[in-house]
Amino acid sequence: MEVRLQKIIAGSGLASRRKAEEWIAAGRVTVNGKVVTELGTKVDPERAHIKVDGKHLSSAQPYVYLLLNKPKNVMSTLNDPGGRPTVKDYLRGISVRVFPVGRLDFDSEGLMLLTNHGDLAQTLLHPRYHVPKTYLIKVKQVVTDDHIRQLEQGVQLEDGMTGPAVVKKVKKAKLNSWLEITIREGRQHQVKRMMEAVGHPVLKLTRIKMGPLSLGDLGAGEFRYLTDREANALRELAEHKLATEEAAEKQVPRPKKRISRVGWARSKKAKVV
């Protein structure tokens, strides 16, 4: 069965489909010894000998998915110009180059996904797909039911109204409260700003869920590979989001072509005659 060349390259885990298209257009890909620059080219992956920059595609690294419990006071990037610790420091023994899917604040902790699957990462991060993320937070003072209703209905921030959140009380003390809050947006410092807006500054924030993934009992600074079931659930989530978006785009009606009054009158007159 023949498949588009860029799809085969992306499926190998070597790059995203968009990057594969750039490589093809730049003449960096050969099929059976011949340079291919046409993006619509289809080949049989079982028979074709595909090379990228002279290296056989079969030697490309497979997709890798890691779940890390980022500790507090660690950057969620791979490098930091200021010399602060980063998540890369906790990926000992990982030879494949993976990238964080999203970020957590320096003083926040919890679940982070890292992968070399570029297309999947882009889908999970895109604001239009609204992948749910759940946080366990400790806030100042006792949160009232009125404040929870505000969060669930949406809070006005300086960059606009937030979408509705799902909020659950976990426990409370005399001076603070613990909540679980789930949001589907990805604005910068969003949970902290939402809680500030209702008068309850965040004292501690831990991300415990992202889509189908859960932090579980993974210790701070520890990581693990996703199970096959978790990886499949992530791919299915991304595919569902993309399919839903494509279906919605197809249902958008095209604007009708306007007919001028003169043209309409002429056509009407012609019919009468």
Side-chain angles (χ1 to χ4, degrees):
M1 178 180 176
E2 292 191 338
V3 182
R4 288 183 182 273
L5 184 57
Q6 59 264 40
K7 185 175 182 179
I8 296 173
I9 296 172
S12 72
L14 189 61
S16 68
R17 190 175 301 186
R18 182 175 297 178
K19 180 61 67 175
E21 290 175 350
E22 293 177 5
W23 290 349
I24 294 170
R28 296 170 59 182
V29 180
T30 62
V31 177
N32 298 330
K34 296 182 179 180
V35 175
V36 176
T37 57
E38 187 176 341
L39 295 182
T41 300
K42 291 185 177 182
V43 299
D44 186 344
E46 298 294 328
R47 298 182 178 182
H49 297 283
I50 304 169
K51 290 184 179 181
V52 177
D53 293 336
K55 297 180 180 179
H56 283 287
L57 193 63
S58 58
S59 63
Q61 294 171 326
Y63 288 143
V64 173
Y65 308 93
L66 303 177
L67 193 156
L68 169 72
N69 185 353
K70 184 188 92 67
K72 185 178 180 180
N73 297 334
V74 171
M75 296 296 292
S76 58
T77 54
L78 298 178
N79 298 286
D80 180 59
R84 291 171 293 184
T86 71
V87 294
K88 186 178 180 181
D89 299 328
Y90 295 87
L91 302 180
R92 298 179 182 88
I94 302 299
S95 58
V96 179
R97 184 171 175 79
V98 293
F99 300 89
V101 180
R103 296 188 177 188
L104 277 173
D105 291 341
F106 181 70
D107 61 348
S108 298
E109 54 194 279
L111 187 156
M112 285 198 67
L113 173 67
L114 299 100
T115 183
N116 60 348
H117 192 163
D119 286 346
L120 177 74
Q122 289 178 11
T123 301
L124 295 177
L125 287 175
H126 202 291
R128 77 170 65 171
Y129 298 127
H130 306 297
V131 176
K133 303 176 189 68
T134 301
Y135 301 85
L136 176 64
I137 58 174
K138 178 183 179 182
V139 300
K140 283 186 177 181
Q141 302 176 349
V142 177
V143 179
T144 66
D145 291 340
D146 286 341
H147 289 156
I148 288 180
R149 277 192 290 271
Q150 289 182 46
L151 295 167
E152 291 176 336
Q153 293 171 1
V155 177
Q156 183 65 46
L157 302 178
E158 60 270 20
D159 54 352
M161 197 76 173
T162 68
V166 177
V167 185
K168 183 173 69 174
K169 291 182 180 179
V170 177
K171 60 182 177 180
K172 65 180 180 179
K174 290 183 178 180
L175 300 178
N176 54 61
S177 300
W178 286 86
L179 305 173
E180 274 189 20
I181 180 169
T182 301
I183 61 173
R184 291 178 174 269
E185 300 167 283
R187 305 188 202 181
Q188 191 173 25
H189 312 305
Q190 182 172 338
V191 172
K192 292 180 179 179
R193 291 193 291 139
M194 289 173 68
M195 297 311 301
E196 285 275 3
V198 296
H200 296 281
V202 172
L203 300 173
K204 183 176 182 179
L205 183 148
T206 304
R207 183 157 64 198
I208 57 175
K209 292 181 182 178
M210 178 181 178
L213 306 179
S214 295
L215 185 62
D217 57 0
L218 195 65
E222 295 181 349
F223 74 89
R224 65 173 177 82
Y225 290 91
L226 296 194
T227 65
D228 288 342
R229 178 174 293 183
E230 288 173 327
N232 286 332
L234 268 186
R235 287 190 288 264
E236 288 175 359
L237 173 65
E239 290 169 0
H240 174 71
K241 297 290 184 183
L242 289 171
T244 302
E245 180 70 17
E246 290 174 358
E249 289 178 353
K250 290 180 180 179
Q251 291 177 0
V252 175
R254 294 183 179 180
K256 294 182 179 180
K257 186 176 181 180
R258 295 186 63 183
I259 302 176
S260 67
R261 288 181 176 271
V262 175
W264 178 83
R266 286 176 179 171
S267 62
K268 186 176 181 181
K269 185 176 181 180
K271 288 181 181 179
V272 173
V273 172

